[in-house]
Amino acid sequence: MGCGRVGASLAQEIESRGHSVAVIDQNPEAFRRLSGDFGGQKVTGVGFDRDTLVQAGIEDTYAFAAVSDGDNSNVLAARVARETFGVANVVARIYDPKRAEIYQRLGIPTVATVRWTANQVLRRMLPLGATDEYRDPSGEVRLAQVDYHPGWTGRSVRRIEAATGGRVAFLSRYTDGVMVTGETVLQENDELHVLMRSDDADAVERTLTHAPDPKED
């Protein structure tokens, strides 16, 4: 739902991966953002209206994304998709980060646009810290890219996990993703992606942004 820049880009990316896509927007002019070779369905209507959703094929849908420019519309549409039509994979774009946290607790996965953008900008200004990449619907578990002190370079994943209590999910090494074992060694310029309890996030960040204790090597 929503054929702005995000919606149009998302629809075309999903179609390029071999999936069938329907795009809903109240303004038929919005569909001009789609490329000329877009083969998906274009439905003019309100994204939380049941008849509109049925027309778009919601009854056979695997996933639904509400990415219009209205928080209320996105949440309402996401709830209708999940609660009325039983779509398991639903996400809503939310501009207000406080609302996003509330909806996460209600079991509606959200992308808080303002918070995400601010985090990305801050990461480039003040690189030592952590940036959320995923939170489970309960908000209790998070996956974050965590910056680290140069002293951690050359340490093993097992050493990092022992120090933080988190789990290293994977590394980004230049343009490649690297699946890790306990023996994998952190190399210079690797990006570190850590799975952790949300309550432990501050402690994980604090540990990794300081030099490791040489006594524990």
Side-chain angles (χ1 to χ4, degrees), residues 144-188:
Q145 180 185 334
V146 185
D147 289 306
Y148 52 88
H149 187 280
W152 287 98
T153 301
R155 263 61 176 191
S156 70
V157 163
R158 180 174 288 108
R159 169 75 172 80
I160 294 169
E161 292 181 340
T164 63
R167 293 290 179 268
V168 177
F170 65 98
L171 302 175
S172 296
R173 184 167 292 166
Y174 300 106
T175 58
D176 297 326
V178 178
M179 298 297 292
V180 300
T181 68
E183 304 306 318
T184 303
V185 172
L186 188 65
Q187 298 182 9
E188 186 177 3

Side-chain angles (χ1 to χ4, degrees), residues 128-130 146-152 159-166 192 194 196 200-213 216:
L128 287 181
V146 185
D147 289 306
Y148 52 88
H149 187 280
W152 287 98
R159 169 75 172 80
I160 294 169
E161 292 181 340
T164 63
L192 182 63
V194 182
M196 68 193 86
D200 298 336
D202 289 344
V204 171
E205 181 179 337
R206 197 160 48 244
T207 298
L208 289 174
T209 53
H210 290 79
D213 186 348
E216 298 180 6

Side-chain angles (χ1 to χ4, degrees), residues 96-118:
D96 183 346
K98 292 182 179 179
R99 282 186 177 182
E101 291 176 5
I102 293 170
Y103 296 133
Q104 287 274 19
R105 294 191 190 105
L106 293 174
I108 302 173
T110 62
V111 176
T113 306
V114 174
R115 181 175 60 194
W116 185 89
T117 302

Side-chain angles (χ1 to χ4, degrees), residues 35-173:
S35 64
D37 61 353
F38 178 72
Q41 189 178 0
K42 304 168 188 176
V43 179
T44 302
V46 178
F48 50 81
D49 176 75
R50 296 184 185 188
D51 291 338
T52 300
L53 288 167
V54 169
Q55 183 183 346
I58 193 71
E59 293 168 314
D60 298 313
T61 291
Y62 174 77
F64 178 79
V67 292
S68 75
D69 58 4
D71 283 8
N72 292 335
S73 297
N74 288 342
V75 169
L76 183 55
R79 293 193 67 178
V80 171
R82 169 167 284 181
E83 296 170 13
T84 301
F85 294 100
V87 180
N89 301 293
V90 173
V91 63
R93 177 191 191 186
I94 303 294
Y95 286 86
D96 183 346
K98 292 182 179 179
R99 282 186 177 182
E101 291 176 5
I102 293 170
Y103 296 133
Q104 287 274 19
R105 294 191 190 105
L106 293 174
I108 302 173
T110 62
V111 176
T113 306
V114 174
R115 181 175 60 194
W116 185 89
T117 302
N119 282 340
Q120 293 299 311
V121 173
L122 185 61
R123 182 173 205 86
R124 286 156 178 78
M125 295 172 66
L126 304 171
L128 287 181
T131 300
D132 272 3
E133 297 178 306
Y134 172 79
R135 289 200 188 199
D136 82 300
S138 72
E140 294 181 4
V141 178
R142 62 190 281 197
L143 174 68
Q145 180 185 334
V146 185
D147 289 306
Y148 52 88
H149 187 280
W152 287 98
T153 301
R155 263 61 176 191
S156 70
V157 163
R158 180 174 288 108
R159 169 75 172 80
I160 294 169
E161 292 181 340
T164 63
R167 293 290 179 268
V168 177
F170 65 98
L171 302 175
S172 296
R173 184 167 292 166

